[in-house]
């Protein structure tokens, strides 16, 4: 499953057919080399990142009712219920888990859901595996803001190959703002700390922090 997810991801990145097919059969370095060259990244670090990221995505999305998926979702819901935050900030695969947790528990009320570097809209690999499933007929299928979320803002770095496609509002209803901001230097294209310190995040969180 990991290699199938990688192939779907490479297709969205615009990789040539031999590279996309190679994700299913060739060593990981074949894929990592193409991604590193496209985004001017360090090849070794890119290979390590891809291996870890897609292993985690595959483990979470393998089946709808896997114990790991349920446990992760319920852990997030439990912490939101316990601490009752005004704002929920999620990054990367965490946006998928938070999205599903908030949908599974509509009684949880959140003023702002801030998704950073999210792969939620990645066709086949993530989007079509979400719970609840997006509704409608392809290519017009849509996900939706969880009922308990008052406002959803998404931020993606246009150079982040994980946040593909970057504009979630094309695939989900109820997104108030769909922002892009450059957050990276060298290999930091997807680091949570860079997303948290970017101008778009500061402007989004300011009203909730009394700034």
């Amino acid at each position: 499953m990991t290699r199938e997810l990688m192939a779907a991801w490479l297709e969205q990145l615009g990789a040539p057919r031999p590279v996309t097919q190679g994700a299913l059969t060739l060593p990981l370095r074949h894929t990592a080399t193409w991604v590193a060259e496209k985004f001017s990244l360090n090849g070794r670090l890119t290979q390590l990142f891809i291996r870890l990221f897609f292993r985690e995505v595959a483990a979470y999305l393998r089946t709808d009712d896997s114990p790991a998926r349920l446990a992760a979702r319920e852990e997030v819901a439990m912490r939101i219920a316990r601490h009752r935050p005004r704002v929920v900030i999620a990054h990367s695969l965490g946006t998928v888990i938070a999205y599903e947790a908030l949908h599974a528990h509509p009684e949880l009320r959140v003023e702002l859901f801030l998704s950073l570097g999210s792969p939620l809209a990645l066709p086949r690999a993530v989007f079509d595996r979400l719970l609840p499933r997006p509704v409608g007929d392809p290519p017009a299928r849509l996900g939706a803001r969880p009922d308990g979320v008052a406002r959803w803002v998404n931020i993606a770095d246009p150079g982040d190959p994980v946040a593909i496609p970057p504009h979630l509002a094309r695939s989900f209803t109820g997104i108030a703002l769909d922002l892009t901001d450059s957050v990276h230097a060298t290999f930091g294209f997807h680091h949570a700390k860079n997303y948290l310190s970017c101008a778009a995040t500061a402007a989004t969180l300011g009203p909730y922090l009394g700034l």
Side-chain angles (χ1 to χ4, degrees):
M1 178 179 176
T2 300
R3 290 185 175 273
E4 293 174 359
L5 296 179
M6 286 171 53
W9 173 62
L10 287 166
E11 183 178 314
Q12 286 299 307
L13 289 177
R17 189 170 183 82
V19 175
T20 304
Q21 292 178 326
L24 298 172
T25 58
L26 296 177
L28 176 59
R29 64 176 179 273
H30 177 73
T31 293
T33 296
W34 183 86
V35 174
E37 291 178 352
K38 178 179 176 66
F39 291 93
S40 300
L41 304 173
N42 178 286
R44 183 181 65 84
L45 293 176
T46 299
Q47 182 172 329
L48 291 172
F49 171 80
I50 292 173
R51 179 184 291 116
L52 177 62
F53 178 75
F54 281 100
R55 182 188 303 158
E56 292 178 342
V57 172
Y60 182 76
L61 294 175
R62 193 173 304 279
T63 63
D64 286 356
D65 56 356
S66 72
R69 187 171 188 170
L70 179 61
R73 192 174 68 209
E74 291 306 304
E75 177 70 16
V76 169
M78 180 270 290
R79 291 182 180 272
I80 294 174
R82 177 184 298 171
H83 298 289
R84 300 185 181 278
R86 296 178 64 196
V87 177
V88 169
I89 302 174
H91 170 255
S92 192
L93 177 59
T95 66
V96 179
I97 301 171
Y99 174 88
E100 292 194 341
L102 289 166
H103 265 295
H105 293 273
E107 74 278 6
L108 297 176
R109 299 295 168 178
V110 174
E111 293 183 34
L112 172 68
F113 175 37
L114 177 59
S115 52
L116 307 173
S118 176
L120 272 165
L122 183 60
R124 302 203 325 270
V126 176
F127 182 72
D128 297 301
R129 300 172 186 267
L130 290 174
L131 295 175
R133 292 283 192 265
V135 299
D137 297 321
R141 299 180 70 194
L142 292 171
R145 184 185 70 221
D147 289 342
V149 173
R151 191 166 186 256
W152 181 2
V153 174
N154 180 64
I155 301 175
D157 183 333
D160 183 350
V162 174
I164 299 295
H167 298 290
L168 291 189
R170 297 173 182 172
S171 301
F172 295 86
T173 61
I175 295 181
L177 290 174
D178 205 356
L179 307 173
T180 57
D181 199 350
S182 180
V183 306
H184 74 282
T186 61
F187 190 71
F189 64 84
H190 190 61
H191 288 176
K193 65 179 181 180
N194 293 340
Y195 270 105
L196 290 170
S197 62
C198 77
T201 298
T204 300
L205 293 178
Y208 299 91
L209 300 175
L211 302 177

